[in-house]
Coordinates of all heavy atoms in Angstrom, one line a residue:
R29 N 0.8 -1.2 0.0 CA 0.0 0.0 0.0 C 0.9 1.3 0.0 O 0.6 2.3 -0.7 CB -0.9 0.0 1.2 CG -1.7 1.3 1.4 CD -2.6 1.6 0.3 NE -3.9 0.9 0.5 CZ -5.0 1.2 -0.2 NH1 -5.0 2.2 -1.0 NH2 -6.1 0.5 -0.1
Q30 N 2.0 1.2 0.7 CA 2.9 2.4 0.7 C 3.5 2.6 -0.7 O 3.6 3.8 -1.1 CB 4.0 2.2 1.7 CG 3.6 2.2 3.2 CD 4.7 1.9 4.1 OE1 5.8 2.2 3.9 NE2 4.3 1.4 5.3
A31 N 3.8 1.5 -1.4 CA 4.4 1.7 -2.7 C 3.2 2.2 -3.7 O 3.5 3.0 -4.6 CB 4.9 0.4 -3.2
Y32 N 2.1 1.7 -3.5 CA 0.9 2.1 -4.3 C 0.6 3.6 -4.1 O 0.4 4.3 -5.0 CB -0.3 1.3 -3.9 CG -1.6 1.7 -4.6 CD1 -2.0 1.0 -5.7 CD2 -2.5 2.6 -4.0 CE1 -3.2 1.4 -6.4 CE2 -3.6 3.0 -4.7 CZ -4.0 2.3 -5.9 OH -5.1 2.7 -6.5
D33 N 0.7 4.0 -2.8 CA 0.5 5.4 -2.6 C 1.6 6.3 -3.2 O 1.3 7.5 -3.4 CB 0.4 5.7 -1.0 CG -0.9 5.1 -0.4 OD1 -1.8 4.8 -1.2 OD2 -0.9 4.9 0.8
A34 N 2.7 5.7 -3.4 CA 3.8 6.5 -4.1 C 3.6 6.5 -5.6 O 4.4 7.1 -6.3 CB 5.2 5.9 -3.8
G35 N 2.6 5.9 -6.1 CA 2.3 5.9 -7.5 C 2.5 4.6 -8.3 O 2.3 4.5 -9.5
E36 N 3.1 3.6 -7.6 CA 3.4 2.3 -8.3 C 2.1 1.5 -8.5 O 1.2 1.5 -7.6 CB 4.4 1.5 -7.5 CG 5.7 2.2 -7.3 CD 6.4 2.6 -8.5 OE1 6.3 1.9 -9.5 OE2 7.0 3.7 -8.6
R37 N 2.0 0.8 -9.6 CA 0.8 0.0 -9.9 C 1.2 -1.4 -10.4 O 0.3 -2.3 -10.4 CB 0.0 0.7 -11.1 CG -0.6 2.0 -10.7 CD -1.7 1.8 -9.6 NE -2.3 3.0 -9.2 CZ -1.9 3.8 -8.2 NH1 -0.8 3.5 -7.5 NH2 -2.5 4.9 -7.9
D38 N 2.4 -1.7 -10.6 CA 2.9 -3.0 -11.1 C 3.6 -3.8 -10.0 O 4.6 -3.3 -9.5 CB 3.8 -2.9 -12.3 CG 3.1 -2.4 -13.5 OD1 2.4 -3.2 -14.2 OD2 3.2 -1.2 -13.8
F39 N 3.0 -4.9 -9.5 CA 3.5 -5.7 -8.4 C 3.7 -7.1 -8.8 O 2.8 -7.7 -9.5 CB 2.6 -5.5 -7.2 CG 2.6 -4.1 -6.6 CD1 1.7 -3.2 -7.1 CD2 3.5 -3.7 -5.6 CE1 1.7 -1.9 -6.6 CE2 3.5 -2.4 -5.1 CZ 2.6 -1.5 -5.6
G40 N 4.7 -7.8 -8.3 CA 5.1 -9.1 -8.7 C 5.0 -10.1 -7.5 O 5.5 -9.8 -6.5
E41 N 4.2 -11.2 -7.7 CA 4.1 -12.2 -6.7 C 4.5 -13.6 -7.3 O 4.4 -13.8 -8.6 CB 2.6 -12.3 -6.3 CG 2.2 -11.1 -5.5 CD 2.8 -11.0 -4.1 OE1 3.1 -12.1 -3.5 OE2 3.0 -9.9 -3.6
S42 N 4.9 -14.5 -6.5 CA 5.4 -15.8 -7.0 C 4.6 -17.0 -6.4 O 4.9 -18.1 -6.8 CB 6.9 -16.0 -6.6 OG 7.1 -16.0 -5.2
R43 N 3.6 -16.8 -5.5 CA 2.8 -17.9 -5.0 C 1.4 -17.5 -5.2 O 0.9 -16.4 -4.8 CB 3.1 -18.0 -3.4 CG 4.5 -18.5 -3.1 CD 4.7 -18.7 -1.7 NE 6.1 -19.2 -1.4 CZ 6.5 -19.4 -0.1 NH1 5.8 -19.2 0.9 NH2 7.8 -19.9 0.0
V44 N 0.7 -18.5 -5.7 CA -0.7 -18.2 -6.1 C -1.6 -17.8 -4.9 O -2.4 -16.9 -5.0 CB -1.3 -19.5 -6.9 CG1 -2.8 -19.3 -7.0 CG2 -0.6 -19.6 -8.2
Q45 N -1.5 -18.6 -3.8 CA -2.4 -18.3 -2.7 C -2.1 -16.9 -2.2 O -3.0 -16.1 -1.8 CB -2.2 -19.3 -1.6 CG -3.2 -19.2 -0.5 CD -4.6 -19.3 -0.9 OE1 -5.0 -20.1 -1.8 NE2 -5.5 -18.4 -0.4
E46 N -0.8 -16.5 -2.1 CA -0.5 -15.2 -1.6 C -1.0 -14.1 -2.5 O -1.5 -13.1 -2.1 CB 1.0 -15.1 -1.4 CG 1.5 -13.7 -0.8 CD 3.0 -13.7 -0.6 OE1 3.7 -14.7 -0.9 OE2 3.5 -12.7 -0.1
L47 N -0.9 -14.4 -3.8 CA -1.4 -13.4 -4.8 C -2.9 -13.3 -4.7 O -3.4 -12.1 -4.7 CB -1.0 -13.9 -6.2 CG -1.6 -13.1 -7.4 CD1 -1.3 -11.7 -7.3 CD2 -1.1 -13.7 -8.7
L48 N -3.6 -14.3 -4.5 CA -5.1 -14.3 -4.4 C -5.5 -13.4 -3.2 O -6.4 -12.6 -3.3 CB -5.7 -15.7 -4.3 CG -5.5 -16.6 -5.5 CD1 -6.0 -18.0 -5.2 CD2 -6.3 -16.0 -6.7
E49 N -4.8 -13.6 -2.1 CA -5.1 -12.9 -0.9 C -4.9 -11.4 -1.1 O -5.7 -10.5 -0.6 CB -4.3 -13.4 0.3 CG -4.7 -14.9 0.7 CD -3.8 -15.5 1.7 OE1 -2.8 -14.8 2.1 OE2 -4.0 -16.6 2.1
K50 N -3.7 -11.1 -1.6 CA -3.4 -9.6 -1.8 C -4.3 -9.0 -2.9 O -4.7 -7.8 -2.8 CB -1.9 -9.5 -2.2 CG -1.0 -9.8 -1.1 CD 0.5 -9.8 -1.5 CE 1.4 -10.1 -0.3 NZ 2.8 -10.1 -0.7
H51 N -4.7 -9.8 -3.9 CA -5.6 -9.2 -4.9 C -6.9 -8.8 -4.3 O -7.5 -7.8 -4.7 CB -5.8 -10.3 -6.0 CG -6.8 -9.9 -7.0 ND1 -8.0 -10.6 -7.2 CD2 -6.8 -8.9 -8.0 CE1 -8.7 -10.0 -8.1 NE2 -8.0 -9.0 -8.6
K52 N -7.4 -9.6 -3.4 CA -8.6 -9.3 -2.7 C -8.5 -8.1 -1.7 O -9.4 -7.3 -1.6 CB -9.2 -10.5 -1.9 CG -9.6 -11.6 -2.8 CD -10.1 -12.8 -1.9 CE -10.5 -14.0 -2.8 NZ -10.9 -15.2 -2.0
A53 N -7.3 -7.9 -1.1 CA -7.2 -7.0 -0.1 C -6.7 -5.6 -0.5 O -6.9 -4.6 0.2 CB -6.2 -7.5 1.0
L54 N -6.2 -5.5 -1.8 CA -5.6 -4.3 -2.2 C -6.4 -3.6 -3.4 O -7.2 -4.3 -3.9 CB -4.1 -4.5 -2.6 CG -3.2 -4.8 -1.4 CD1 -2.0 -5.6 -1.7 CD2 -2.9 -3.5 -0.7
P55 N -6.1 -2.4 -3.8 CA -6.9 -1.7 -4.8 C -7.0 -2.5 -6.1 O -6.1 -3.2 -6.6 CB -6.1 -0.4 -5.0 CG -5.4 -0.2 -3.7 CD -5.0 -1.5 -3.2
A56 N -8.1 -2.3 -6.7 CA -8.5 -3.1 -7.9 C -7.7 -2.7 -9.2 O -7.6 -3.4 -10.1 CB -9.9 -2.9 -8.2
D57 N -7.0 -1.5 -9.1 CA -6.3 -1.1 -10.3 C -4.8 -1.5 -10.3 O -4.1 -1.1 -11.2 CB -6.4 0.5 -10.5 CG -5.8 1.3 -9.4 OD1 -5.7 0.7 -8.3 OD2 -5.4 2.4 -9.6

């Protein structure tokens, strides 16, 4: 969220379950 607030929009994940959880919890864009 701190990186997002700095203007970043591209984030990389390597585990599917972790990605799914973060996708639900963080902004849709």
Side-chain angles (χ1 to χ4, degrees):
R29 170 65 80 165
Q30 292 177 25
Y32 178 90
D33 289 343
E36 300 304 322
R37 293 296 181 269
D38 294 276
F39 292 89
E41 294 288 330
S42 64
R43 294 182 178 178
V44 168
Q45 188 56 43
E46 184 177 359
L47 172 56
L48 293 173
E49 292 170 359
K50 289 175 177 177
H51 174 247
K52 292 178 181 178
L54 288 159
D57 62 337

